Amino acid sequence: MTSTSVHLAVYDTFADWEPGFATAHLAQNGHTVHTVGATTDPVTTMGGMRIRPDLALDDLRPEDSALLILTGAGLWDTGDTLAPFARRARTFLDAGVPVAAICGATAGLAREGLLDDRAHTSAVSFYLAATGYAGGSHYIDADAVTDTGGASHGALVTAGPTEPVAFAREIFGLLGVYEPKKLDAWYRLFHDSDASAYEVLQG
């Protein structure tokens, strides 16, 4: 694997619609998306699709990746089943490799203490407050937020469950998938159905 590899965590009850914009356009722009499960046994998404992960979480190393994507899942709020994924996110951030979390995955990161001192967002502030985390003062009411991490930590993207397009926009900006003018056009096309943005993307 190379730094163009992106890793998408998959698990039972995984919210399959949330990373779709990001992974599709990453794959079309020079990145390879690899799925990561707790093991390589198949998982079933919230939409009923079965996915066999490319590799197990224990085999995932930050140095082999450009980004770890964590999506929502019912399991984030029903126990500690997915806690190992949050712990691996800590490993990524400590190694200076970015992490992107949407929906329930933000609560998993909050429980792990990863949002205590980083700018972030989620579904609503009280959803994260219910985790007992200490980062409430860093919560931003926005569609998606990127905390650049500073010199010692990897960048962190967070978004709420209704914002898969904004989530993808932040990922593309972070990885340099589109230059700023085209990134704005991409967002206007897919979020606002602005047909005029298509010409900018093709230019």
Side-chain angles (χ1 to χ4, degrees):
M1 296 181 198
T2 70
S3 61
T4 59
S5 292
V6 170
H7 290 88
L8 171 66
V10 295
Y11 20 73
D12 286 330
T13 73
F14 153 66
D16 32 15
W17 66 92
E18 291 176 345
F21 287 98
T23 55
H25 291 271
L26 286 169
Q28 292 173 30
N29 286 277
H31 288 79
T32 302
V33 179
H34 304 272
T35 53
V36 183
T39 68
T40 55
D41 292 338
V43 300
T44 302
T45 72
M46 201 175 291
M49 294 190 294
R50 284 173 61 80
I51 298 174
R52 182 179 293 278
D54 296 317
L55 73 159
L57 188 62
D58 285 346
D59 297 323
L60 175 62
R61 304 185 307 167
E63 57 265 37
D64 295 331
S65 187
L67 175 72
L68 173 62
I69 301 175
L70 301 173
T71 72
L75 289 176
W76 283 114
D77 297 319
T78 57
D80 296 329
T81 302
L82 301 185
F85 289 92
R87 290 194 291 270
R88 188 51 52 95
R90 177 181 292 280
T91 302
F92 267 61
L93 293 171
D94 287 348
V97 181
V99 172
I102 185 170
C103 188
T106 61
L109 297 191
R111 294 185 187 97
E112 181 62 19
L114 295 176
L115 304 184
D116 288 350
D117 57 359
R118 292 176 172 88
H120 61 275
T121 194
S122 184
V124 286
S125 59
F126 57 80
Y127 171 62
L128 292 186
T131 68
Y133 85 132
S137 63
H138 298 287
Y139 186 89
I140 298 173
D141 189 9
D143 56 7
V145 170
T146 298
D147 183 287
T148 56
S152 60
H153 292 92
L156 176 63
V157 174
T158 50
T162 61
E163 301 295 343
V165 179
F167 184 58
R169 177 197 64 204
E170 297 299 301
I171 289 171
F172 299 157
L174 185 64
L175 297 184
V177 174
Y178 298 114
E179 52 87 15
K181 184 177 179 180
K182 284 193 174 182
L183 181 59
D184 175 70
W186 183 90
Y187 182 74
R188 288 189 288 111
L189 179 63
F190 287 97
H191 186 267
D192 303 327
S193 299
D194 181 352
S196 68
Y198 182 78
E199 294 182 5
V200 178
L201 282 172
Q202 298 304 304

